[in-house]
Each structure stands twice: as C-alpha cells, then as structure tokens.
C-alpha cells in the first residue's frame, strides 16, 4: 500500500490500452471498509433513536413525540406514552441561543399547534379544553392554568403566537417569524446596521425574478462558451482576449458613468432642494456616490491587472492553441463530456444531503444529559462515541475528493482512448461509458489512494484555517504571518498534488499501473517537459480563467443594466453578488472539464513524442494540429542551431564542449531562463499587489509574507523543473 518501490527502476514501455489489470486493490478494500463505517454510523443513529428524535422531535424530558417511550433513570416525567401527541411545542420559541444556534426553551409534545393567538391563561385553558392539547408542563392540569402559581415558569410566554407544524419535522413554528430576526442578524455578522440588513434582504426579495433570469443567462453563456471551444478553439485565445478586454473596459466605463450620473443627480438635488433636504438624505446620497466610486475604482484596478497579464502572456500560446484545437475535436467526438459536471454535481449533492442528515442524526444521538444552565434534557455522545463526529467529518472530505477523482479518471480514460486510437472511426460507441466501466472494474483503488493523499493535506489546512479564524484579532503580526504562510504552503502543496494526481490517473488509464508507479512515471514525463508544462499551465489556465471572467463580467454587466432602475445601490449589490458567484461556479464546473482534457492530451502528446519519432514502426498517434506543431518546432530548432553553429566554432574548446552538451538535448536554456526570471518577477509583484488590495495589512507585511511563500515554494519548484528538463536527454522531436 505504500509508495515505496524497488530501488532499481527499469525503463517503462508504455503500452496504451493494453494489459489491463486491477490496481491498488488494498486501498480499494480500505476505502470499502471506511464507507462501511460511514454506513455504520448512520445505522447506529437510527437504531439508538437519534433519527426518530430528529424527525418526530422530543420534549425536554427525553420523550420522543408520537410514540411510546421508556423510562430514563433519574429523569422525571420520562417514559410517557406520547402516541397521540405528535408535535413539538416550544414555550418561548423566540428565545434563541445565538452561540449554539438553537432554541433555548422548554419543549413539550402536544396534539395540536395553536392556530390562533392566545393572550391570557384563560385562553390557554379554553384551548386545552376544546382541542385536548395542553400547552403547559405535563404535571399541570389544563383546567387549573389560570390559578396555578407555577404557570409563570411552566406555561408558554404570553401572548402565544399562532403557529403551524413543519411538513416533515413536526415542530410548531410561529406563523410570524419576526422573532427570528435577531437570529438572522446574528448570522450575518458583517452587517452592523439593522436597517442595511433589511434593505439588503428587501433587495433580494424584490429582485428574485431578475436573479433567476441572470442565473439562467450564466448557464446559457457557459454552454455557448463550450460550443465555441469545440468548434473554433484555434482562435479562442484571441477571441477571449478581445472580448474580455472589451467587457472589462465596458463594465468599468459603465460603473464610472453611473458614478458620474449619481454625482450630478446629487448635486442637482442639493441645489434645488437645499432647504427641504435633511441631513440624513444628504448622507444617504453621499453614501450612494461613494459606493459607486469604490466599485469603479475596483473595476479599474482589475482591468489594469488583466491588461498587464495579457501583455505578458501574449507570446506563449503556440502549443496551447494546438492542444486547444485537439481538445475541441475531443469534444466533437465525445459530446457526453459536457454532461460530466452535471453528473459530478449530482453525485456530490446527493452525498452532501446524506452527510448532513447523518450529522443531524448525530446531534440527537447519545445518552440523555441534563443541561446545567437550563435543566433541560439533551442527548449527547459521550466517551469514545464522541469521535464518531470526527470520523464523519473525515468521510466528508475523503468521499468528496473520491467523487472528484472519479470524474478525473473517467475523463482521462475517455481522452486516452481517443488519442491512442489511430482511426477515429473505430472509437467505441460510448467511450465515456467504457471509461466508467474500466474505472469501476479496475481502478477504484487508485482513485481511493489519490483522494486519500489529498485528504491528508486538506485536513491540517482546514484546522489551521479554523485556528486562524478563532484567533483573529488576538495574535500578533508575526504569528499571523506565520499562520497564513503555513496555510498558503499547504494550499500550494494541495494544488501541486492535485495536478500530479490528475496526471497519475491519466498514466493509470494508459498503462493500468498502480498509483505510485503512475505518479512516478507521470512526474518523470512532466520534468522532461518542464518548460512546456509551465507554458501550458500559465497560458492555458489563464485562457480558461479569461473564459470564466468573461461569463462573470457579462452576467454582471447584464445585472447592472437590469438592476439599475433601483437607484439605491445597497438594494442591488447583494443580488449582483449572488448572481456573480453562481456564474463563476457554473463557468468553473464547465471549463474544469476542458482543463482536464487539455492536461491529459499534453501528457499523451509528451509520451507520444518521447517513444515515437514518425518513422515506420514508430508512427505518431497525435492529431494533425500537433503534428504541424512538432514539424514547425523541428524547423525552428534547426534554423537556430545553424545560426549558432558559426558562433560555437569561434569559442574556446571547453566552453564549446559545455554548450554542445547542453544543446545536444535539443533546446537552448538561455531564453528559457530569461522567461522564467521574467515570470517570477511578474508573479511576485502580482501576488503582493493582490494580497495588499484584499487585506488590511501594511504593504511591507504583505511583501514579507509573499516573499516567504515565493522563496520557499514557487522559486525552488519551478527551478527544479527547469533543471530537470535540462539534465534529461529527450529526443530531438520532443523539443
């Protein structure tokens, strides 16, 4: 099960789509045992009554409503027969514990929720006599409510609001939920002004039709972008660049126009109604203008950064465009790839619903414990059982990563089948289904192992993030800097392992080898093509990022035009944020599939150029677009070598020998070192500016944090890849 292999490694012969066998079987068994444990937790909560208490509810004496109960030792009024009392009624439903996020009130099982307001204890008595539903504690007789001295502590707080039972969970909930406003305001902690919170909520409620329409627009735009990628991917870079520039400039111009318009409107209002305008109106107008100015400045900064990045990336697109062109053909032959985000989202959604339900079951499972503060009975997990929640939390991460890894393996298997099939007319009828069947039959253990490695990295990062949030404002600047550096290092490590895992899955799909062997082979291939990897990961990911930004900016621009009639910007800023987040999520789900396809195609291309040279018996598998790229690369290398051969003959013998040794690998490192240094400089400056803009720290502190991360991770990693590329001896065709 470990990653250790033999110390001596023989040269691997890549045999695409041959010698299929099961991989990482022990990890599949381990994952199966873990999933059985997850199911065991669910079964334990059902058997011990936790699920029944959540669904049917229970009172403050440990009795489950709607069924016969057993006596709990030491708890009075327990063990009652509540078969006819199916609803949970809270004596004070508006008494909410903000910290624990629950109702801090005595609960009783009743046969009917009060459907009208009860203002006096006489009304409580009348309701009990007519409907047979006693709303006070069980030991109090209904016909004596008005005269009992215990009525102030063991009867509901007057007046009792009318309530209705929830459809599934049988809780009596007040019809007027205004008493829950305090709880809602506590959740939204970033809003300190209650009036602003009400205006934001009112803006969302008033714009719900527009929000739904804009979300549908984002979905349609994502589908249109996928169509563009499929059919005209060769010019996608330039089209996206032009559209994003126009979209950014247009959006920025609109925001500045709105700012000027509101500024002029405010000035005219002040001049005409100087006597009638109050101080509050003037301050509200100034807030509107200031808000538009902030939005316009932020959009301007974003546009400038975008233009600088485009200027830096403009020359590094040759191989990326060729891969995009082939990826477009992959989507033409495998159109069901577009449905992968929906399938993955559906699987994650169903699992998350199951996970949340079991978590809620765990909240009502365990031994009855009396709350020392309120005296009410609560069910809590004690002893070793309290670690079930942690086990359940680890299951959320591991199984979620497992589902995502299954998507990557499925896409990789389909793309590998497409690439290494010379005659595309002989492709399987359903390559996606064939890839899924191969995954389920042979490679579930590999996927389980790769997802477990990501889980091991993600758990400590989440713990550090939780500690950072809990200590926010309490630790000093140095501790905060180190904590953020650790979080960022773990995040970078997670991203690197995600990329390596994805290529390992592709290698497994080709050779049917175990995870560690596939990861090692894929890493060797990537190191041998380090410069190409850097170019594709920068240019390709940036182009896909531009596609996401295009969808978000287009949706936001349409939202600004649709919501502009609401003159108060605080009423449409929250709907606009919701729409933009949804648009980015949809665009990310669709374009992530395209990104996986490009990465798998590059690995196949690197393997193809390493083990084949186009001669008889070693014909290339690659597409014509990649073949043209290889031929152009050979011609350019030959031209450069002829031009530099004259200079080499005039140099000293030792220097000539060193240069010949380096150039014998097929590539000159000089321009690549300069490009790498230029990339490092721009990357560091961009990180510092973004970190400074998004945080409230000083520029020197942001610079120190980013320098630590840059020197410890980014610089060594990229330099190692470049040195590995120069020390390898690939064939001339691979350059």
């Amino acid at each position: 099960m470990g990653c250790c292999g033999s110390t001596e490694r023989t040269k691997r012969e890549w045999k695409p789509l041959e010698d299929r066998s099961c991989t990482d079987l022990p990890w599949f068994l381990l994952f199966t045992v873990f999933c059985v444990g997850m199911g065991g937790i669910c079964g334990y909560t059902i058997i011990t009554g936790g699920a029944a208490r959540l669904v049917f509810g229970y009172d403050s004496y440990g009795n489950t409503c709607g069924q016969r109960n057993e006596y709990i030792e030491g708890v009075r009024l327990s063990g009652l027969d509540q078969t006819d009392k199916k609803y949970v009624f809270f004596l004070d439903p508006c008494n909410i514990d903000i910290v624990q996020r629950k109702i801090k009130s005595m609960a009783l099982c009743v046969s009917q929720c009060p459907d009208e307001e009860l203002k006096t204890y006489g009304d409580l008595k009348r309701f009990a006599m007519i409907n047979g539903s006693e709303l006070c504690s069980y030991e109090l007789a209904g016909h004596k409510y008005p005269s009992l001295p215990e009525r102030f502590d063991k009867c509901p707080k007057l007046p009792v609001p009318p309530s209705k039972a929830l459809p599934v969970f049988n809780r009596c909930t007040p019809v007027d939920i205004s008493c829950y406003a305090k709880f809602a305001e506590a959740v939204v902690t970033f809003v300190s002004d209650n009036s602003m919170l009400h205006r934001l909520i009112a803006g969302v409620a008033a714009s719900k039709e527009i929000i739904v329409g804009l979300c549908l627009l984002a979905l349609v735009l994502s589908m249109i972008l996928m169509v563009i990628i499929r059919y005209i991917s060769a010019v996608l870079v330039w089209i996206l660049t032009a559209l994003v520039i126009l979209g950014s400039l247009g959006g920025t111009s609109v925001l500045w126009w709105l700012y000027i318009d509101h500024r002029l409107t405010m000035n005219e209002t002040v001049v005409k109604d100087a006597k009638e305008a109050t101080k509050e109106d003037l301050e509200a107008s100034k807030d509107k203008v200031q808000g538009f100015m902030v939005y316009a400045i932020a959009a301007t900064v974003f546009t400038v950064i975008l233009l600088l990045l485009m200027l830096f990336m403009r020359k590094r697109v040759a191989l990326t465009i060729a891969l995009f062109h082939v990826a477009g053909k992959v989507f033409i032959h495998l159109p069901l790839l577009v449905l992968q985000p929906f399938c993955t989202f559906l699987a994650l959604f169903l699992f998350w619903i199951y996970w949340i339900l079991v978590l809620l079951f765990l909240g009502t499972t365990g031994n009855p414990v009396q709350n020392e503060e309120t005296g009410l009975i609560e069910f809590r997990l004690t002893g070793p059982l309290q670690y079930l929640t942690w086990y359940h939390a680890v299951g959320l991460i591991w199984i979620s990563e497992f589902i995502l890894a299954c998507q990557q393996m499925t896409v990789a298997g389909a793309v590998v089948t497409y690439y290494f099939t010379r005659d595309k007319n002989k492709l399987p009828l359903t390559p996606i289904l064939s890839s899924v069947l191969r995954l389920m039959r042979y490679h579930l253990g590999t996927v389980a192992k790769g997802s477990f490695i990501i889980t091991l990295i993600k758990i400590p990062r989440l713990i550090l993030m939780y500690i950072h949030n809990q200590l926010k404002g309490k630790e000093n600047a140095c501790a905060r800097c180190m904590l953020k550096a650790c979080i960022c290092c773990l995040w970078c490590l997670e991203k690197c392992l995600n990329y390596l895992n994805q290529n390992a899955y592709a290698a497994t799909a080709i050779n049917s080898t175990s995870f560690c062997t596939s990861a090692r082979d894929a890493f060797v291939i990537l190191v041998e093509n380090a410069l190409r990897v850097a170019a594709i990961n920068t240019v390709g990911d940036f182009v896909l990022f531009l596609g996401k930004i295009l969808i978000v900016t287009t949706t936001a621009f349409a939202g600004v035009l649709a919501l502009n009639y609401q003159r108060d910007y605080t009423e449409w800023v929250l709907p606009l944020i919701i729409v933009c987040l949804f648009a980015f999520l949809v665009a990310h789900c669709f374009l992530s599939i395209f990104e996986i396809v490009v990465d798998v195609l590059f690995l196949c291309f690197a393997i193809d150029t390493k083990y084949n040279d186009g001669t008889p018996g070693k014909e290339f598998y690659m597409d014509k677009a990649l073949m043209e790229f290889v031929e152009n690369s050979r011609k350019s290398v030959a031209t450069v070598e002829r031009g530099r051969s004259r200079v080499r003959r005039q140099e000293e013998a030792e220097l000539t020998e060193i240069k010949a040794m380096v150039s014998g690998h097929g590539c000159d490192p000089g321009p690549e070192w300069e490009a790498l240094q230029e990339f490092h400089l721009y990357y560091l400056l961009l990180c510092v500016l973004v970190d400074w803009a998004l945080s409230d720290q000083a520029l020197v502190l942001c610079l120190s944090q980013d320098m630590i991360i840059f020197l410890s991770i980014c610089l060594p990693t990229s330099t190692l890849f470049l040195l590995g590329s120069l020390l390898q001896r690939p064939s001339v065709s691979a350059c």
Side-chain angles (χ1 to χ4, degrees), residues 425-571:
N425 295 323
K426 296 182 179 180
L427 284 170
L429 183 61
T430 55
I432 301 295
L433 182 59
S434 301
S435 180
V436 172
L437 295 178
R438 286 198 303 270
L439 166 64
M440 297 179 64
R441 183 176 179 181
Y442 298 109
H443 305 311
L444 285 178
T446 299
V447 173
K449 188 173 184 177
S451 57
F452 180 76
I453 293 175
I454 300 300
T455 303
L456 289 181
I457 303 300
K458 182 166 289 187
I459 289 177
R461 182 173 67 86
L462 294 177
I463 293 175
L464 290 179
M465 291 176 62
Y466 175 78
I467 295 174
H468 179 264
N469 291 331
Q470 292 297 317
L471 300 179
K472 198 169 186 178
K474 299 179 181 179
E475 75 279 14
N476 56 32
C478 181
R480 183 170 61 252
C481 176
M482 295 302 297
L483 194 58
K484 291 181 66 176
C486 292
I487 294 174
C488 189
C489 290
L490 289 175
W491 180 82
C492 294
L493 179 60
E494 180 183 340
K495 294 301 180 183
C496 293
L497 289 178
N498 264 322
Y499 182 73
L500 183 60
N501 281 7
Q502 180 178 305
N503 287 277
Y505 299 148
T508 299
I510 297 174
N511 269 343
S512 189
T513 51
S514 64
F515 176 82
C516 290
T517 303
S518 300
R520 179 180 58 192
D521 295 338
F523 181 77
V524 171
I525 295 294
L526 295 177
V527 169
E528 292 174 352
N529 297 269
L531 300 179
R532 289 175 173 175
V533 172
I536 292 174
N537 283 339
T538 52
V539 178
D541 292 349
F542 179 69
V543 169
L544 296 179
F545 174 73
L546 291 184
K548 300 174 186 178
I549 296 300
L550 174 63
I551 294 174
V552 174
T553 52
T554 305
T555 307
F557 180 71
V560 169
L561 296 180
L563 297 169
N564 186 36
Y565 68 90
Q566 298 180 7
R567 305 298 291 181
D568 192 348
Y569 74 95
T570 57
E571 293 182 3

